[in-house]
Amino acid sequence: PKTDIVFLKVHKSASSTVMNILFRFGETHNLTFAFPRGGGFQLYYPQHFLASFVQGFSPLSPRRFNILCHHMRFLQPEVQKVVPSSAVYFSILRNPVQLMESSFVYYKGASAFSRVRSLQEFLRQPHRYYNPASGDRHYARNLMTFDFGFNPDGDVSPERVQLMLKAIEASFDFLLISEYFDESMVLLKEMLCWDLDSVVSFPLNIRDSSTKSPLPDSVVEKLKAWNRLDWEIYTHFNRTFWERIDRDIGRERMRREVKALRERQAELARTCLQGTGRVAPKDIKDSSLRPLQHGGARILGYNLKQGLDRELERTCRRLV
């Protein structure tokens, strides 16, 4: 199994669930994590990553960390100072239309969103609300582009887009797709030579569907145009994702693996969870299991079954 890993945790793309998988794997295998200096939960985001952001990093004794997986704005030369040269680099992408809808609710306090009632209103005159000079602009435009280290207001010419895609391909071994999360986990397991249980998860940081609303086609088109760089990244790597599956795994085996993953997940859910799964924050009995609530989103969580033996309780707690 590969144990040296860089995961670029792209915002609002099921990345908290992937991070949980990495935490559990790292803990089981006694690996060293690159945690943010000063006890934060992001690596000084939205600044470009610097090695000095990592707790315990010193240029004088360049000790290496096995796993780097907290939110950061990617800058590979600095990342390379922190992890071994053998590290596997990967990230996860999400359809920019859903990503921005999620971002709008979650980062409602961002300067571009705080004065509008709806995403439709924002998209009618985005430049009226969006200021390219504001420090939190990235939440409102091309958020994935920004997290990968590029300019979210950059040129969208075919030449520039190709350069950006080539740069991402040069830095990352593979990119997962959150809309195909189970297939992504099978691919992850293949690429890292891990076993099935290492990539089983319960969905984390999921918001209540009552705050979600379907978007009209006209809005979808505007969202794609406004997030054109994200759209280019997503469509390109969604295509290469399936090409890689066809090349390395095959659709038939992929179906079998996904089925096995879902069965294992359902088995763990029956073992660990009370009731049918995710519940509203107010219904979570154990306050230590209550997820962080942010912006206008209601983030759901889980209740564990009572009376689990100690080892099993620990496993279940780690999953939620």
Side-chain angles (χ1 to χ4, degrees):
K2 306 248 191 322
T3 53
D4 297 325
I5 291 160
V6 174
F7 171 54
L8 179 62
K9 187 174 189 264
V10 169
H11 287 76
K12 315 312 311 153
S13 303
S15 57
S16 297
T17 309
V18 178
M19 191 182 192
N20 173 278
I21 286 168
L22 295 174
F23 278 168
R24 286 185 286 122
F25 183 86
E27 193 177 48
T28 307
H29 293 81
N30 199 24
L31 303 177
T32 311
F33 284 84
F35 278 113
R37 197 181 71 215
F41 55 92
Q42 306 196 30
L43 289 155
Y44 290 75
Y45 187 87
Q47 296 177 53
H48 269 110
F49 177 80
L50 295 175
S52 59
F53 294 166
V54 172
Q55 183 83 42
F57 173 82
S58 154
L60 305 174
S61 67
R63 65 181 282 221
R64 301 292 190 198
F65 298 83
N66 300 114
I67 299 182
L68 178 66
C69 64
H70 286 66
H71 277 307
M72 63 171 158
R73 190 172 183 206
F74 189 68
L75 187 61
Q76 192 162 17
E78 289 292 314
V79 170
Q80 285 168 332
K81 296 176 184 175
V82 175
V83 295
S85 57
S86 60
V88 176
Y89 287 69
F90 77 99
S91 186
I92 188 164
L93 304 174
R94 183 183 184 184
N95 184 315
V97 174
Q98 280 74 47
L99 178 77
M100 182 146 179
E101 190 273 334
S102 176
S103 194
F104 181 79
V105 176
Y106 201 79
Y107 302 113
K108 191 68 185 79
S111 56
F113 295 151
S114 57
R115 292 182 295 140
V116 292
R117 281 188 304 279
S118 67
L119 197 48
Q120 281 90 322
E121 188 183 334
F122 173 81
L123 289 164
R124 271 197 292 276
Q125 296 174 287
H127 289 290
R128 186 177 160 193
Y129 307 106
Y130 177 83
N131 175 4
S134 79
D136 61 0
R137 77 189 193 285
H138 51 282
Y139 292 124
R141 187 176 203 187
N142 290 316
L143 182 50
M144 294 190 289
T145 302
F146 183 87
D147 286 356
F148 276 95
F150 302 99
N151 176 7
D153 298 300
D155 174 12
V156 296
S157 69
E159 299 75 31
R160 288 299 303 233
V161 167
Q162 278 311 307
L163 279 173
M164 178 175 72
L165 297 175
K166 291 263 185 300
I168 295 172
E169 282 182 332
S171 298
F172 288 84
D173 296 291
F174 58 100
L175 298 185
L176 307 174
I177 303 288
S178 68
E179 282 77 15
Y180 303 104
F181 192 80
D182 292 343
E183 290 84 355
S184 291
M185 291 306 98
V186 173
L187 186 65
L188 181 69
K189 163 175 103 65
E190 284 294 299
M191 302 304 293
L192 300 179
C193 305
W194 289 9
D195 62 8
L196 182 71
D197 267 15
S198 297
V199 297
V200 168
S201 63
F202 295 152
L204 300 178
N205 208 19
I206 301 281
R207 79 184 152 107
D208 181 1
S209 56
S210 68
T211 58
K212 296 178 188 175
S213 47
L215 300 166
D217 290 349
S218 58
V219 172
V220 169
E221 289 313 310
K222 280 182 183 163
L223 276 169
K224 285 182 194 170
W226 176 248
N227 295 287
R228 175 68 191 282
L229 293 171
D230 272 10
W231 185 250
E232 295 283 356
I233 291 174
Y234 179 77
T235 50
H236 175 80
F237 287 105
N238 187 11
R239 195 180 68 247
T240 59
F241 175 80
W242 291 103
E243 285 169 1
R244 168 159 282 184
I245 284 170
D246 289 336
R247 191 181 70 231
D248 295 350
I249 300 173
R251 299 285 170 115
E252 191 43 53
R253 187 173 145 225
M254 176 54 87
R255 271 193 287 277
R256 289 199 305 274
E257 296 263 3
V258 165
K259 185 167 178 279
L261 179 68
R262 287 175 181 163
E263 282 168 1
R264 181 69 182 123
Q265 216 149 298
E267 186 187 338
L268 278 165
R270 285 193 299 272
T271 304
C272 292
L273 303 179
Q274 259 181 44
T276 52
R278 295 194 287 272
V279 295
K282 64 176 176 35
D283 298 324
I284 297 169
K285 317 247 191 325
D286 179 346
S287 61
S288 71
L289 296 179
R290 205 167 290 148
L292 171 77
Q293 302 298 312
H294 197 83
R298 259 207 336 186
I299 306 299
L300 304 175
Y302 299 94
N303 283 315
L304 293 184
K305 276 189 176 153
Q306 300 296 301
L308 298 169
D309 72 59
R310 233 178 87 195
E311 194 52 37
L312 190 56
E313 204 261 353
R314 185 174 177 281
T315 300
C316 294
R317 185 170 280 271
R318 291 289 188 277
L319 276 161
V320 302

